[in-house]
Every structure is written in C-alpha cells, then in structure tokens.
C-alpha cells in the first residue's frame, strides 16, 4: 500500500493550486504520472476498497485531482460494493465534482466521463444533489459552456424529470457554439493548454464526451424549452423550440420531436410575442408545409388569439381538449387563455396614452370565461399583476372622484450607477469568455474548404473590378488633354 500511496501523492510536484506556466514540462509530467498511476491502481484495485478512507484522506481533490479520480473510479465503476461505506463514498464523489482540477482531468477523460455519468444516473445521489454537482462539474470542465456534450443531455434529462430545474439553468442558459466531432480540430499539441478552445480538448478522442447523434441535439433543445416553460421564461422557451423546428433535415423532412416542438413553439410564441411568429428563413419550405399540416389546430388557436373574439378562442380550446392532453400541452393552452386579455390590454396602448379601468373592462374580454370581467376591481388586479411581472409599463392613478385610470409609460431605459457598473462588468466577462470561441471559429473558417473558395472567389471578383476600373481611367485619360483639366473636361478625340 505504501507504493500506491506514494504514487497517488507524486503529482503535482509541490502540491499547490498554482497553475503551471510551462505547458511543455507539465504535459510530460502529467502524462508520466497518469501512465504510472493507472497501472498501480489496477494492481491494487482489490485492496483499495478497504483502505480508501485513508487514501482519499491523504489527497486533496482540488490538487491531486487525477489520483483522486483514479481511486473514486475504482470504488464506483461499475458499482459500489455492497459492503462498502456507501455514504462516505458518495460524500467524496460530490466533493470531487465540486472541486476537481479540470486541467489535470483532461488527461483521464473517459474516467471523468464515467464519474459524470454515475453522478447523473439517479443511482447514487439524491436528484437535487446530483443536478447541482453535475452542473458545477460541467462548468468546471468548460466555463464557457459553449460545447454540447453527452453530459449536457444527461443533466437536462435528470433536471427536467426530477423537477430540479433552477440549478441546471447555469448550464442550460449557455449558448451552444460547438458540437463534438466538428471538423478541423485535430489532437492538440498540449492537452493542458488553458487557451485551447473547448472543442480542441472536449471530444470523443479525449473521452470527455460520448458521441452525439443529431437526434440528441434536437432532444436537448426540446428539453431546454420545456425547462424554460416550467420557469415561465417564455422568450427563452420560444428560442429553444425554434432551434428544434429549424434543425437541418434531409430533403426537407421532419421528425416526431420536431413536430412536438412546433406545437409548443406556436403556443409559447403567443405567450412571449402575442402572435404567431414566422419560422426562421433557413427552415426548409417542405418542413414548414409539414408543420402546417400537423399543427393545424395549433395555428387555429394562434389565429384566434389576435382577434377580439375571446369566446371563439375559448370554444376552440375546449373543443380540442383531448388533443391538448395527448400532446402534453394542456398547461400551455391554459396559459394562452389566461394571457389573452393581457395582450388585449397591451394593444390598447396603440390608441390610448391613458384609459380608465372601466373602459378597459368594456373593451377587453377574458378567454378563460369568454366574457368581460365582472368588476373593475378584477381588471385592476389583472393590470397590477402585469405591472409586477414587467409585462406592462405603466401606472394606475385615481382621480378625486375615485375613478381609476391606467397611464401607459415608455419602458425605462435609464440605469442607476450601480446597475450600469454591474452591466459593464458582466459585459467584460462575456467578452473575455467569447475570445477563445472567436479564435476557434476564425481558425475553423481559415481551414474550411468552402470559406477558402469563397475568399478566392471574392479576391478574383475584386481584381476584376479593379482591373476594369483602371482600364476605364486609362481610356478616360487618353481622351482628355492635360491643359483642359483646369477649365473643364473637353473631349479631343
């Protein structure tokens, strides 16, 4: 066991949290350590179970991450032994996920991925702890959150299924720019280089993600949309569903998931935009036609939503209750009916700058009842809720006689000094995070055959324009005498 302990403690030299400057030496040292480590751990695998409390007690997961990972992997994969102290092992698992050094663990990608999958499998940890730990671990590996991995899919499924959505939003909110297996990313010279863009070190080859099928990408965005629906963030839900319905397909086809997303996209668009929006221009024409056929009853709801007939909208919704139930969209239909009158109130701003509450009651109706609200107090409560949620910018005032009015106000764009400072700081952080993404994208464009052809074509076109321009000036010069330039242009030819 002394041999095992000394091997576990052998890296990093000095055992500090200081980041190495010399990537060449670090790369060689960590590779040498990993090679010895996994051989020794395999040799002592039968003994680790009985000595792991002592072994892990010697190690700091934030410093001796590679060694800590090797021991954890032996304890957990393929399963925790029945006679092992399960709670202690899981405590160490969570501690590792929250603190591991991502630079070291790049050199044991498949081991780290196994640990991620174990954490997100619902087999070991309570859902709330698993979601929080996996969220933190994913962002430790890639703080930009810009590459979609198999761990993202695992997290989204677990968070949505167990309704532990809030912690997962830290990952879900990130904009995906890269996908595993993208072209033009060979094996990096130094895997430990912290300036590498995410797709250079997170790949199937490094073991930090499993392969992803196109259906997995679509499923992820669908799950994101449904999670945003759970938090009532309609704008983000609409954007997520839009990514699904515009996903490239062969010969303008579609899939069951895409049709499901389209139906939700229509309803969520009513909640976020107040109308049925156009599908992205790059959505195939044939695909749009299929959506139209499969989603006729949903577009019928959207058409009625922008009319003044609350009763017709209510009737249409009630006549197709079974369909909404089968599609899992009953909740969204109820949200649409509840928001109908709110959007009618917002529409009044086009005609009024100030309007009495009683007039609003007369001019708008609820799609939940198909009629006007019974009292002015009900209307005032509706408007108060709109003001509180930020959906409406305005103020309710009362005259001396007690008559209540709604005054529409322009959206506030002024920020306090503290808010402005916070906005500038967050923008600076985002720009810093975008730097490696921009660099990677530029490199990919520089080696893309399509882009090179485009650049060559543009250069050829510009050369031709310049040539034609010079030719025109030469012809012009031969027709004009130098002495005539001061007194106007006179052709002499």
């Amino acid at each position: 066991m002394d041999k095992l302990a000394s091997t576990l403690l052998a890296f990093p030299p000095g055992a500090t949290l200081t980041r190495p400057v010399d990537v060449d030496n670090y790369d060689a040292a960590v590779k040498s350590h990993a090679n010895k480590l996994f051989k020794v751990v395999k040799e002592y695998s039968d003994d680790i179970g009985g000595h792991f409390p002592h072994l892990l007690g010697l190690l700091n997961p934030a410093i001796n991450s590679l060694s800590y990972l090797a021991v954890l992997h032996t304890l957990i994969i393929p399963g925790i032994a029945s006679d092992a102290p399960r709670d202690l092992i899981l405590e160490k698992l969570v501690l590792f996920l929250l603190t591991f050094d991502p630079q070291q663990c790049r050199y044991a990608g498949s081991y780290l991925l196994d640990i991620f999958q174990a954490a997100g499998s619902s087999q070991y940890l309570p859902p709330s702890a698993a979601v929080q730990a996996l969220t933190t671990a994913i962002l430790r590996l890639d703080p930009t959150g810009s590459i979609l991995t198999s761990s993202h899919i695992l997290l989204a499924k677990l968070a949505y299924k167990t309704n532990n959505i809030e912690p997962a939003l830290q990952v879900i909110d990130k904009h995906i720019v890269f996908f595993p297996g993208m072209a033009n990313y060979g094996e990096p010279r130094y895997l430990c280089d912290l300036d590498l863009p995410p797709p250079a070190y997170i790949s199937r080859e490094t073991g930090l993600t499993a392969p992803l099928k196109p259906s997995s990408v679509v499923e992820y965005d669908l799950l994101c949309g449904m999670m945003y629906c759970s938090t009532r963030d309609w704008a983000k839900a609409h954007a997520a569903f839009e990514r699904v319905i515009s996903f490239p397909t062969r010969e303008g086809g579609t899939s069951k998931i895409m049709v499901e997303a389209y139906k939700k996209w229509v309803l969520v668009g009513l909640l976020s935009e107040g109308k049925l929006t156009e599908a992205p221009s790059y959505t195939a024409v044939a695909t749009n036609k299929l959506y139209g056929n499969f989603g006729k009853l949903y577009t019928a709801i959207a058409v009625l939503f922008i009319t003044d007939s609350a009763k017709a909208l209510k009737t249409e919704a009630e006549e197709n209750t079974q369909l909404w139930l089968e599609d899992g969209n009953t909740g969204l239909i109820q949200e649409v009916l509840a928001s109908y009158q709110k959007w009618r109130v917002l529409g009044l701003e086009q005609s009024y700058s100030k309007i009495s509450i009683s007039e609003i009651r007369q001019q708008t109706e609820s799609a939940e009842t198909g009629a006007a609200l019974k009292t002015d107090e009900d209307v005032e409560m509706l408007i108060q809720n709109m003001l509180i949620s930020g959906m409406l910018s305005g103020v309710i005032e009362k005259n001396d006689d007690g008559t209540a009015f709604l005054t529409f106000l322009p959206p506030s764009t002024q920020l306090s000094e503290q808010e402005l400072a916070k906005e500038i700081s967050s923008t600076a952080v985002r720009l810093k995070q975008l730097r490696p993404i921009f660099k990677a994208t530029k490199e990919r464009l520089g080696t893309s055959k399509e882009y090179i052809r485009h650049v060559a074509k543009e250069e050829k076109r510009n050369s031709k324009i310049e040539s034609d321009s010079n030719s025109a000036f030469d012809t012009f010069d031969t027709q004009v005498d130098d002495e005539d330039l001061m007194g106007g242009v006179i052709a002499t030819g």
Side-chain angles (χ1 to χ4, degrees):
M1 293 303 294
D2 289 342
K3 178 182 178 182
L4 175 59
S6 62
T7 303
L8 293 173
L9 289 167
F11 188 87
T16 68
L17 289 170
T18 305
R19 292 290 184 190
V21 177
D22 189 344
V23 293
D24 192 355
N25 289 337
Y26 184 87
D27 180 76
V30 73
K31 283 180 178 177
S32 174
H33 174 67
N35 186 44
K36 295 175 184 176
L37 173 68
F38 293 113
K39 286 181 180 178
V40 173
V41 167
K42 185 177 181 180
E43 180 183 344
Y44 288 89
S45 59
D46 294 336
D47 301 320
I48 286 177
H51 296 84
F52 86 87
H54 171 68
L55 293 173
L56 292 183
L58 295 173
L59 305 173
N60 184 333
I63 298 175
N64 312 108
S65 299
L66 208 53
S67 298
Y68 208 98
L69 172 61
V71 174
L72 267 184
H73 192 274
T74 303
L75 294 170
I76 294 174
I77 308 299
I80 299 175
S82 57
D83 58 344
R86 184 183 180 91
D87 289 346
L88 180 58
I89 293 175
L90 298 182
E91 179 185 326
K92 299 299 185 182
L93 168 63
V94 172
L95 178 63
F96 172 79
L97 291 172
L98 297 179
T99 61
F100 74 92
D101 176 9
Q103 188 179 30
Q104 280 187 47
C105 291
R106 291 181 185 183
Y107 290 84
S110 60
Y111 283 71
L112 186 65
L113 183 60
D114 285 344
I115 293 297
F116 280 16
Q117 290 173 338
S121 66
S122 299
Q123 184 179 353
Y124 299 114
L125 299 172
S128 58
V131 170
Q132 183 64 68
L134 192 55
T135 295
T136 302
I138 289 172
L139 293 178
R140 287 191 71 78
L141 187 61
D142 171 24
T144 70
S146 59
I147 183 169
L148 184 66
T149 70
S150 53
S151 299
H152 285 68
I153 313 291
L154 184 65
L155 173 65
K157 287 181 177 179
L158 178 64
Y160 182 72
K161 181 181 177 181
T162 63
N163 197 28
N164 283 278
I165 293 169
E166 197 66 34
L169 293 179
Q170 298 173 65
V171 169
I172 303 303
D173 280 343
K174 300 290 187 181
H175 294 290
I176 299 298
V177 181
F178 304 110
F179 299 89
M182 292 178 72
N184 305 325
Y185 282 107
E187 184 178 348
R189 183 178 181 185
Y190 299 117
L191 199 57
C192 60
D193 186 352
L194 296 177
D195 291 328
L196 289 174
Y201 66 89
I202 299 178
S203 65
R204 292 168 294 182
E205 290 71 25
T206 61
L208 288 169
T209 180
L212 294 183
K213 297 179 180 179
S215 58
S216 299
V217 179
V218 172
E219 182 185 18
Y220 176 73
D221 280 326
L222 179 66
L223 285 167
C224 288
M226 292 164 70
M227 291 166 72
Y228 285 129
C229 284
S230 296
T231 61
R232 302 171 65 82
D233 193 333
W234 308 124
K236 288 183 179 179
H238 192 244
F241 292 138
E242 192 162 276
R243 291 194 295 272
V244 178
I245 69 170
S246 58
F247 193 83
T249 57
R250 290 183 179 178
E251 300 176 358
T254 187
S255 66
K256 184 178 178 180
I257 290 180
M258 293 172 73
V259 171
E260 181 183 352
Y262 175 78
K263 294 173 179 179
K264 297 182 188 299
W265 175 77
V266 170
L267 298 179
V268 171
L270 301 180
L271 297 171
S272 64
E273 305 292 334
K275 62 182 180 179
L276 176 62
T277 57
E278 292 284 339
S281 58
Y282 44 84
T283 308
V285 175
T287 303
N288 271 327
K289 288 183 178 179
L290 289 172
Y291 290 147
N293 292 333
F294 287 119
K296 283 182 179 178
L297 294 177
Y298 287 86
T299 52
I301 289 288
V303 169
L304 290 170
F305 190 85
I306 60 174
T307 69
D308 291 326
S309 182
K311 189 173 182 179
L313 177 59
K314 178 177 181 290
T315 301
E316 182 72 19
E318 290 175 345
E319 287 178 350
N320 298 287
T321 300
Q322 187 59 35
L323 175 66
W324 316 139
L325 184 63
E326 292 172 358
D327 289 346
N329 289 327
T330 300
L332 284 177
I333 288 291
Q334 291 172 346
E335 291 283 354
V336 167
L337 295 179
S339 71
Y340 171 81
Q341 190 171 16
K342 296 177 182 178
W343 282 98
R344 301 275 70 72
V345 171
L346 286 175
L348 294 174
E349 188 176 7
Q350 298 177 6
S351 305
Y352 301 91
S353 60
K354 185 176 182 179
I355 182 173
S356 69
I357 298 299
S358 59
E359 286 181 284
I360 294 176
R361 185 165 72 88
Q362 294 168 14
Q363 295 191 36
T364 66
E365 294 179 331
S366 166
E368 293 176 293
T369 62
L373 295 180
K374 293 182 179 180
T375 66
D376 288 356
E377 287 73 19
D378 292 337
V379 176
E380 191 169 339
M381 185 178 295
L382 175 76
I383 293 172
Q384 288 286 9
N385 289 334
M386 293 174 67
L387 292 171
I388 292 170
S389 68
M391 184 178 186
L392 172 65
S393 180
V395 61
I396 296 177
E397 302 172 311
K398 289 189 178 181
N399 287 348
D400 294 338
D401 61 2
T403 303
F405 287 85
L406 168 64
T407 300
F408 292 101
L409 298 176
S412 176
T413 57
Q414 292 185 345
L415 298 176
S416 67
E417 187 175 338
Q418 292 81 3
E419 290 172 334
L420 181 60
K422 185 178 180 181
E423 183 67 23
I424 292 173
S425 177
S426 62
T427 300
V429 171
R430 288 196 297 271
L431 288 173
K432 185 177 180 180
Q433 292 174 342
L434 284 173
R435 194 176 302 156
I437 297 174
F438 173 76
K439 180 181 178 182
T441 304
K442 188 176 180 181
E443 289 173 352
R444 288 193 72 245
L445 280 175
T447 55
S448 166
K449 294 180 181 178
E450 292 79 6
Y451 182 72
I452 292 173
R453 282 198 294 267
H454 168 73
V455 171
K457 185 178 179 181
E458 285 297 300
E459 288 181 349
K460 185 176 181 181
R461 186 174 70 87
N462 291 335
S463 295
K464 186 177 185 303
I465 292 173
E466 185 177 350
S467 176
D468 291 345
S469 176
N470 290 336
S471 176
F473 276 115
D474 290 342
T475 303
F476 180 80
D477 288 341
T478 61
Q479 294 177 341
V480 180
D481 287 335
D482 290 340
E483 60 195 28
D484 291 329
L485 291 177
M486 295 298 293
V489 179
I490 301 174
T492 58

